[in-house]
Amino acid sequence: MPKLQGRRVAITGGAQGIGRSIGEALIAAGARVALGDIQEALVKQAAAELGGGTTGYHVDVTDAVNFETFLDRATDDLGGLDVLVNNAGIMPIGPFLEESPNVTRRTVEIDVLGVMTGTRLAGTRFAKSGAGHIVNIASVMGTLASPNAATYCASKYAVVGFSAALRQEWRGTGVKISAICPGFVRTDLIAGMSAPGPLERFLVVNPEDVAAAVVAELVKGSSRTVFVPKLVGLVSRGTATLPAPVVDAAFRLSGGNKVTAELDHEKRASYQARIENQE
Ligand code: NAD
């Protein structure tokens, strides 16, 4: 019997990248899936390609009415809903003082408020039945701050804290909540970015690795903060005990600051245009 046989899952940001990989891994584990994404044609194509009765819908996670409609459609298609994966997200990179207020606002609306909206809508449904699991895709940048990513770090720190608070609040209710914190993942979101050699081996993973961690978390049925790869979590937890100047120096010496400072703007241009023009 597959590990997640019959589990009914809605995934935001499912048209490509990590969201699509999570869908694929969940289907392989026996789950049934509905994908939502702001890129309508692409999410419908992804659903058709994943097969197994997967459906794909337009959703903008910043619009609560639209999000509720997506969950309604997913529930109808799947005959119920057991899991929501809040995966949709954008990552602006560059000096904060050069970031447009519109991009700052949009990032917080998608990466923070979108997660909160999804959690409120699905959490309300799950609380009524006393069962369900919300998986929030955060980031290692939600526990380790990086220069030139201030808005993104702020958003992901918010998601980690939000998920940890609800883990305690919902203890004993049957409703689970997990935060998944990947390092860097080979998707469009990191277009034009690169990590120095040793850091690349330590920090960069594939979307399939994140998807495997989501499957494992759902199988385990726990409410945890999970790092992918695990070593990133050890470093993150270790540095939390050190004085800030030591952490900052270690970050610089490891080349960590170069990841977000030395961009190939030509390679990043189409991603940047996508996140700036998505409204
Ligand atoms: P991606 O750009 O490939 O995919 C993100 C998807 O979210 C896209 O399909 C996009 O259309 C969708 N989306 C964006 N705004 C939306 C909105 N308002 N409503 C609905 N859908 C929307 O990026 P990815 O790397 O697959 O990122 C997925 C998640 O993983 C994000 O939350 C990201 O912050 C997180 N993450 C990514 C990395 C990485 O290095 N790639 C690392 C850690 C965490």
Side-chain angles (χ1 to χ4, degrees):
M1 171 88 71
K3 291 180 280 196
L4 294 172
Q5 187 65 39
R7 208 73 80 85
R8 301 158 298 186
V9 186
I11 304 171
T12 67
Q16 61 178 57
I18 294 171
R20 181 183 159 130
S21 276
I22 292 171
E24 200 166 4
L26 287 172
I27 291 165
R32 289 164 53 229
V33 169
L35 304 174
D37 202 288
I38 200 162
Q39 301 183 79
E40 185 166 13
L42 202 59
V43 77
K44 289 195 182 303
Q45 186 188 329
E49 287 170 6
L50 292 192
T54 304
T55 48
Y57 294 105
H58 173 267
V59 68
D60 180 346
V61 297
T62 68
D63 178 335
V65 174
N66 196 206
F67 206 145
E68 182 95 279
T69 303
F70 166 57
L71 293 184
D72 285 342
R73 288 183 173 147
T75 304
D76 285 349
D77 292 346
L78 305 173
L81 191 67
D82 305 303
V83 178
L84 170 66
V85 183
N86 282 311
N87 165 75
I90 60 172
M91 182 171 77
I93 294 295
F96 178 68
L97 297 181
E98 290 171 20
E99 185 173 287
S100 82
N102 188 44
V103 165
T104 305
R105 179 184 53 78
R106 191 73 184 155
T107 305
V108 173
E109 280 178 356
I110 296 170
D111 293 13
V112 183
L113 294 174
V115 170
M116 290 177 166
T117 297
T119 302
R120 178 178 290 112
L121 296 175
T124 302
R125 295 167 189 234
F126 296 162
K128 278 187 191 138
S129 59
H133 200 144
I134 293 168
V135 179
N136 294 329
I137 306 301
S139 168
V140 68
M141 286 211 238
T143 62
L144 270 176
S146 173
N148 295 301
T151 303
Y152 186 72
C153 286
S155 299
K156 295 301 185 180
Y157 268 77
V159 172
V160 170
F162 174 70
S163 308
L166 289 179
R167 178 182 72 222
Q168 298 176 60
E169 194 170 319
W170 290 351
R171 191 165 180 272
T173 65
V175 185
K176 314 282 182 190
I177 186 161
S178 305
I180 308 293
C181 296
F184 280 88
V185 188
R186 295 181 181 93
T187 70
D188 274 8
L189 185 126
I190 61 164
M193 298 170 71
S194 57
L199 210 58
E200 153 101 28
R201 281 190 292 282
F202 156 68
L203 199 62
V204 188
V205 295
N206 290 314
E208 293 76 14
D209 300 315
V210 182
V214 171
V215 169
E217 187 66 358
L218 292 175
V219 169
K220 201 169 168 56
S222 50
S223 292
R224 298 180 304 173
T225 301
V226 172
F227 290 85
V228 187
K230 285 197 173 78
L231 188 55
V232 164
L234 291 180
V235 172
S236 166
R237 291 193 167 110
T239 53
T241 62
L242 298 173
V246 176
V247 176
D248 294 357
F251 200 69
R252 277 196 306 278
L253 288 172
S254 69
N257 57 336
K258 291 189 180 154
V259 178
T260 48
E262 295 177 1
L263 297 184
D264 181 330
H265 291 283
E266 208 171 303
K267 284 194 183 147
R268 197 157 176 80
S270 78
Y271 178 76
Q272 196 65 30
R274 169 153 73 82
I275 66 172
E276 280 173 13
N277 303 321
Q278 71 155 226
E279 274 183 294

